[in-house]
């Protein structure tokens, strides 16, 4: 598990610049032990989800750099990586408010996508944009909105508000990056077969994600702390 919250000078200033203002720890004593522990585990799991996006988007930036993608596209992906690093830190902070995550054995090593093997760089980048940004980021919007609306504790709701804001921007960024491969300067790097195959995979991914989100929306402890929703909460 990497150190998410502390850093020695001169590196500390970069973490401070990225995270922004420090969030004050709320008093969560009014919430029961079961609720706090359930929420602690959910927010700790979000550390893994957000850090996986760091690894995936870092690979995407490398691929787009090799493909000589437009400067603005590289800047956009670099911004996404920073957002996901910040999200990782936010989730670690919330887990700390709820009791910490040191006993949960969070492993962030080798958390990215499986090796691409002989898959061409352009197809790999196209797949990441389509599956991880256009589909996954778009589908996460409904989930974060549901958790935000269900959360009563103001400090934790504020974190979900900020996460949702960024997810909306990421989804829009994904659509713009996708166009690079459909009618933009990278369109010649992938074939019509590539585009057809990815479209089918994206449709399957979207259906699978929605089914998974519905299956996990079963209620339970920690609702007020951003840890559980019910199927009726999903829009």
């Amino acid at each position: 598990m990497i150190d998410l919250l502390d850093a020695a000078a001169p590196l500390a200033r970069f973490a401070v610049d990225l995270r922004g203002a420090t969030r004050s720890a709320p008093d969560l004593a009014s919430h029961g032990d079961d609720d706090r522990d359930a929420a602690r585990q959910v927010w700790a799991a979000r550390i893994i989800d957000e850090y996986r996006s760091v690894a995936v988007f870092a690979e995407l930036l490398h691929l787009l750099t090799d493909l000589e993608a437009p400067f603005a596209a590289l800047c956009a992906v670099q911004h996404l990586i920073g957002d996901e690093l910040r999200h990782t830190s936010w989730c670690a902070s919330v887990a700390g408010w709820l009791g910490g995550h040191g006993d949960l054995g969070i492993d962030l090593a080798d958390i990215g996508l499986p090796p691409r093997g002989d898959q061409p760089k352009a197809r790999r980048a196209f797949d990441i944009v389509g599956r991880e940004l256009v589909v996954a980021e778009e589908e996460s919007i409904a989930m974060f909105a549901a958790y935000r609306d269900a959360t009563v504790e103001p400090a934790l709701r504020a974190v979900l508000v900020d996460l949702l804001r960024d997810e909306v921007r990421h989804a829009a960024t994904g659509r713009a990056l996708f166009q690079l491969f459909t009618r933009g300067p990278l369109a010649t790097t992938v074939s019509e077969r590539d585009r057809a195959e990815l479209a089918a995979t994206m449709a399957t991914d979207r259906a699978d994600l929605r089914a998974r989100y519905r299956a996990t929306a079963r209620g339970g402890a920690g609702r007020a702390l951003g840890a559980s929703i019910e199927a009726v909460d999903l829009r």
Side-chain angles (χ1 to χ4, degrees):
M1 177 63 182
I2 66 172
D3 188 344
L4 292 168
L5 300 177
D6 297 318
L11 297 179
R13 66 185 179 90
F14 295 104
V16 172
D17 288 346
L18 184 66
R19 280 201 300 261
T22 302
R23 299 172 185 264
S24 299
D27 182 1
L28 303 177
S30 62
H31 300 277
D33 291 345
D34 288 347
D35 285 324
R36 290 200 307 272
D37 190 59
R40 181 178 73 96
Q41 295 186 49
V42 168
W43 282 95
R46 287 178 180 142
I47 295 172
I48 298 173
D49 293 340
E50 300 298 331
Y51 196 74
R52 177 185 176 277
S53 294
V54 173
V56 171
F57 296 157
E59 180 185 356
L60 176 60
L61 180 59
H62 189 179
L63 291 167
L64 291 177
T65 300
D66 287 349
L67 293 169
E68 298 183 323
F71 179 72
L74 301 180
C75 292
V77 178
Q78 185 271 341
H79 201 294
L80 296 181
I81 296 168
D83 284 350
E84 301 296 354
L85 283 168
R86 185 167 54 251
H87 296 174
T88 303
S89 177
W90 287 348
C91 293
S93 294
V94 175
W97 299 342
L98 292 160
H101 52 75
D103 62 320
L104 298 179
I106 297 173
D107 184 4
L108 301 181
D110 298 320
I111 201 172
L113 296 170
R116 66 185 178 93
D118 59 356
Q119 188 180 42
K121 290 181 179 180
R123 177 59 194 269
R124 175 75 160 194
F126 190 32
D127 280 7
I128 291 174
V129 171
R131 302 182 69 182
E132 302 289 339
L133 275 168
V134 174
V135 174
E137 296 288 314
E138 282 185 358
E139 292 303 314
S140 70
I141 291 172
M143 285 295 287
F144 274 117
Y147 278 104
R148 175 204 59 190
D149 294 344
T151 301
V152 173
E153 179 59 46
L156 276 64
R157 182 184 174 93
V159 176
L160 288 166
V161 167
D162 289 344
L163 288 169
L164 176 59
R165 176 203 62 217
D166 288 349
E167 293 298 297
V168 171
R169 186 173 67 246
H170 292 185
T173 301
R175 287 287 178 178
L177 291 171
F178 195 78
Q179 291 180 5
L180 296 178
F181 294 91
T182 56
R183 56 177 182 269
L186 298 180
T188 59
T189 66
V190 294
S191 66
E192 287 302 320
R193 179 177 178 178
D194 289 332
R195 282 187 271 269
E197 288 178 350
L198 180 56
T201 300
M202 289 168 62
T204 299
D205 285 352
R206 196 179 294 276
D208 288 347
L209 276 174
R210 291 183 179 182
R212 188 186 314 165
Y213 289 159
R214 287 194 297 270
T216 57
R218 301 189 301 267
R223 178 179 175 88
L225 299 170
S228 71
I229 56 173
E230 299 177 356
V232 70
D233 297 313
L234 289 172
R235 295 195 293 267

